[in-house]
Amino acid sequence: GTDHGYHALTYGWLLDELVRRVTGRWAGEWLAAEVAGPLGLDLWLGLPESEAGRVGRTGRVEGPEPVGGLRSRPKRSVTEAYDDPNSLTRRAFAAITPFPDQNDPAYRAAALPATNGIATADGLARFYATLIGEVDGVRLFDPATVELARAQESAGPDRVLVVGTRFGLGYMLHGTASPLLGPGSFGHPGRGGALGFADPEAGIAFGYVTNGFRKTVTADPRAQGLIRAVRAALG
């Protein structure tokens, strides 16, 4: 109860088991049947073979670390912490060792709820929109659940990400390490630079995906540039 840290992979397995016990279906099946299917979302957890030809190949791209108003540089970066085999960072992110090739069809077809969701930006944004409002007659969260989702559960120096983070019930909250649209936003960055979130006050749902993966974990400069543009458009 004194510290907190990002469960990079284990959270997905814990959540999958909860879904299985409540619904009798694994998380990917439930998502397809109850959310993505009814809403026509391009959003998959366990990619079907019929969709494989639509998915781009991912690869690493290099770029500068986030600077200027996103976060101050920690004494030790997450990359440096990952290089230490004894660190919590390495132990969390290397829970699957060796990590599979993310372009492997078998990896994409598997259901790893913390790491291999596949979506278009529109599919991701529409999913978040259903959490704070109605989309084609479907709303997933009632107002009370929205407040539970974004109520702060932990905050402070993150023992895994080695920056200060804030979390609600499964969602990352707006903060210096991963700025979202505003104080009431809730969502989550994804591995390589993706980002999805909702902001109830602004009525905005946001989705950004990329197949050009970068080392940044919490505040990819590409997504942050888009957030600043949205904020400017809203005045």
Side-chain angles (χ1 to χ4, degrees), residues 146-172:
V146 170
E147 294 310 308
L148 283 174
R150 62 181 182 162
Q152 179 174 293
E153 291 290 322
S154 61
D158 191 303
R159 292 285 301 279
V160 174
L161 297 178
V162 297
V163 292
T165 59
R166 299 176 61 234
F167 281 93
L169 293 175
Y171 295 95
M172 189 175 280

Side-chain angles (χ1 to χ4, degrees), residues 31-76:
L31 182 70
E34 303 294 336
V35 181
L39 286 164
L41 303 184
D42 279 324
L43 190 153
W44 308 95
L45 181 59
L47 186 73
E49 188 175 353
S50 61
E51 300 295 315
R54 300 179 57 211
V55 182
R57 291 182 60 82
T58 60
R60 179 74 67 185
V61 296
E62 298 301 324
E65 292 266 339
V67 295
L70 297 182
R71 62 172 172 86
S72 59
R73 182 173 175 82
K75 293 180 180 179
R76 189 187 199 191

Side-chain angles (χ1 to χ4, degrees), residues 203-229:
I204 292 290
F206 179 99
Y208 171 74
V209 300
T210 175
N211 61 351
F213 280 17
R214 299 176 78 161
K215 292 181 179 179
T216 51
V217 176
T218 54
D220 188 282
R222 298 166 297 179
Q224 290 300 316
L226 294 173
I227 292 173
R228 289 193 294 272

Side-chain angles (χ1 to χ4, degrees), residues 83-167:
D83 289 338
D84 177 358
N86 296 315
S87 70
L88 288 177
T89 305
R90 177 66 169 268
R91 290 161 61 191
F93 280 96
I96 303 175
T97 303
F99 199 85
D101 176 5
Q102 56 213 10
N103 294 308
D104 186 338
Y107 167 73
R108 293 178 171 184
L112 301 173
T115 185
N116 76 336
I118 294 175
T120 62
D122 176 75
L124 186 59
R126 282 170 59 84
F127 167 77
Y128 270 100
T130 65
L131 304 186
I132 60 172
E134 192 172 290
V135 177
D136 295 338
V138 177
R139 176 166 182 166
L140 296 179
F141 283 1
D142 62 24
T145 304
V146 170
E147 294 310 308
L148 283 174
R150 62 181 182 162
Q152 179 174 293
E153 291 290 322
S154 61
D158 191 303
R159 292 285 301 279
V160 174
L161 297 178
V162 297
V163 292
T165 59
R166 299 176 61 234
F167 281 93

Side-chain angles (χ1 to χ4, degrees), residues 179-190:
L180 305 178
L181 189 62
S185 303
F186 65 100
H188 216 287

